[in-house]
Amino acid sequence: MSPAYRNPIGVVSLWLGFILMLLSCVKAYEKISDETLNRLSRPNNDFDIHNGALLSPILRTRVPGTPGSTAVLNHFADFFRTTLPNWTVEVQNSTAKTPVSKGKEIPFRNFIATRDPPWAPVGDVSRLTLVAHYDSKLEPEGFIGGIDSAAPCAMIMHAMRSVDAALEKKWSALEKQGLHEYLDEVQGLQVIFLDGEEAFQEWTDTDSLYGARALATHWDDQVYPAMSEFKTPLSSISLFVLLDLLGAKSPSIQSYYETTHWAYKNLGALEGRFKSLKQFKSASADRWFIDAAKDERNLKSFGGIQDDHLPFLAKGVEVLHLIDYAPFKGFPSVWHTLDDDGEHLDMDTVEDWSMLITAFVAEWMELEGYFDQPPAVGVRSDEDSDESEAIRLNKKTEL
Ligand SMILES: *[C@@H]1O[C@H](CO)[C@@H](O)[C@H](O)[C@H]1NC(C)=O
Ligand SMILES: *[C@@H]1O[C@H](CO)[C@@H](O)[C@H](O)[C@H]1NC(C)=O
Ligand SMILES: [Zn+2]
């Protein structure tokens, strides 16, 4: 018999612990309002393919271990240092031989940026993780990879930049009121730009996914301090959202996994709302999220798309794979050709994706009410807004 059963207080706390555990299994997710959707910041000229601050530096060859790869890695580092200084940045290094490296070890460098609530120990945070690969294919020579995956990297950068201030505002409000101690889950944000996704010669289990395989193994082996809520950086990923081959017109996104179909459906709902609010520039009538109306038990998506999620999926990570692919349609027509460059991106679609990802992150992190208000008629006083903030926070932390 365990001591808890001899002691009524122990039994009660056992039950309380159990109830808290059940509650913390319910994923928090809060819809944002139409006003907030309308107000989210836009990439504007930063997605210009010739001189835009976010996208243009990625539109170059960036084969692993080459100066182009280093330049793009530096671009990511500069972006976080200057625009998102409160994020923690690291580069995870590995090396491997490739079928064309003639016995030489090629370096693979994964870029990782993390933003945790300031009060939370590193092992107690689960993280919404946005992922794209930044390497480009060795062949055909001069291959740029606009949809594969320069544009997805830029979409993620824009989304993180667009939610950062709201996240800071929410966290400091929680801390100021001492409410952060009562949260049933502590969520952070994470970005991974993976290296070495592409095969050097022909796609095999060993000639592909170099960076993803190295990182999944590294994070599985790296153990957080004892008594942490999560055992490893891998188990602290609440959702691994992989963006790949995005930026062509009228994408078709399938839902691949029963357990993350609810998150997929939330993206589909946001797509519908953006379109009805006339906030999508690409404005095509075709639905992007073609499985959104399906029940999670009736997904018949063609599986088997080999991509960076696989080493993570194999270790039990929850995955949402956002890739433009459908049976009969296949991948976008520019896929793995020299035409997959900046000029062939459908820029309205690229911008719409960046807004959709921003909105999804805002809902996942429950940021409604924390985006800056536009100058309004009949401005409320500071006391008013402080008070309503306290009511909001109290409501949200009720069990
Ligand atoms: C960074 O964090 C500090 C301390 O929490 C805060 O005062 C500052 O406003 C934050 N900066 C940004 C850009 O969020
Ligand atoms: C990875 O290598 C770079 C140098 O290329 C170094 O600055 C960085 O600290 C390394 N990362 C880790 C985690 O050791
Ligand atoms: Zn590719």
Side-chain angles (χ1 to χ4, degrees), residues 135-303:
D135 63 303
S136 65
K137 241 170 108 38
L138 179 64
E139 286 181 324
E141 200 187 326
F143 177 79
I144 296 294
I147 61 170
D148 187 11
S149 278
C153 290
M155 293 166 193
I156 293 173
M157 293 165 91
H158 172 69
M160 298 303 103
R161 170 177 81 170
S162 305
V163 301
D164 190 62
L167 201 56
E168 176 70 28
K169 199 167 164 189
K170 174 178 174 171
W171 286 344
S172 63
L174 284 170
E175 250 190 321
K176 204 171 116 198
Q177 312 202 26
L179 295 170
H180 60 293
E181 292 172 39
Y182 304 104
L183 294 177
D184 51 4
E185 68 174 7
V186 182
Q187 281 277 344
L189 264 180
Q190 186 165 254
V191 170
I192 309 175
F193 292 138
L194 289 167
D195 198 3
E197 188 265 350
E198 303 283 6
F200 283 81
Q201 198 170 51
E202 194 181 345
W203 192 285
T204 65
D205 286 351
T206 49
D207 186 18
S208 66
L209 311 182
Y210 293 90
R213 286 185 284 123
L215 184 62
T217 303
H218 176 59
W219 273 359
D220 203 20
D221 294 343
Q222 193 185 334
V223 179
Y224 284 140
M227 308 303 290
S228 294
E229 185 152 347
F230 299 98
K231 195 160 167 269
T232 68
L234 209 64
S235 60
S236 66
I237 297 175
S238 49
L239 184 67
F240 184 98
V241 186
L242 176 61
L243 284 67
D244 200 4
L245 306 184
L246 304 180
K249 204 171 174 55
S250 296
S252 302
I253 311 298
Q254 298 189 112
S255 182
Y256 295 93
Y257 306 104
E258 214 178 294
T259 56
T260 57
H261 188 58
W262 70 275
Y264 172 98
K265 280 163 86 161
N266 280 322
L267 273 165
L270 281 170
E271 179 204 352
R273 291 178 63 202
F274 269 117
K275 284 182 175 171
S276 58
L277 291 167
K278 309 253 183 298
Q279 291 288 335
F280 259 17
K281 286 192 167 172
S282 58
S284 102
D286 303 328
R287 293 303 302 251
W288 294 8
F289 290 83
I290 55 181
D291 293 332
K294 289 185 188 158
D295 186 87
E296 72 259 23
R297 287 176 297 273
N298 298 325
L299 299 175
K300 293 192 194 68
S301 311
F302 169 75

Side-chain angles (χ1 to χ4, degrees), residues 290-327:
I290 55 181
D291 293 332
K294 289 185 188 158
D295 186 87
E296 72 259 23
R297 287 176 297 273
N298 298 325
L299 299 175
K300 293 192 194 68
S301 311
F302 169 75
I305 296 186
Q306 312 250 333
D307 209 340
D308 278 325
H309 61 302
L310 290 180
F312 294 86
L313 188 71
K315 294 182 191 296
V317 174
E318 295 287 347
V319 170
L320 185 58
H321 193 191
L322 305 180
I323 185 164
D324 187 357
Y325 176 86

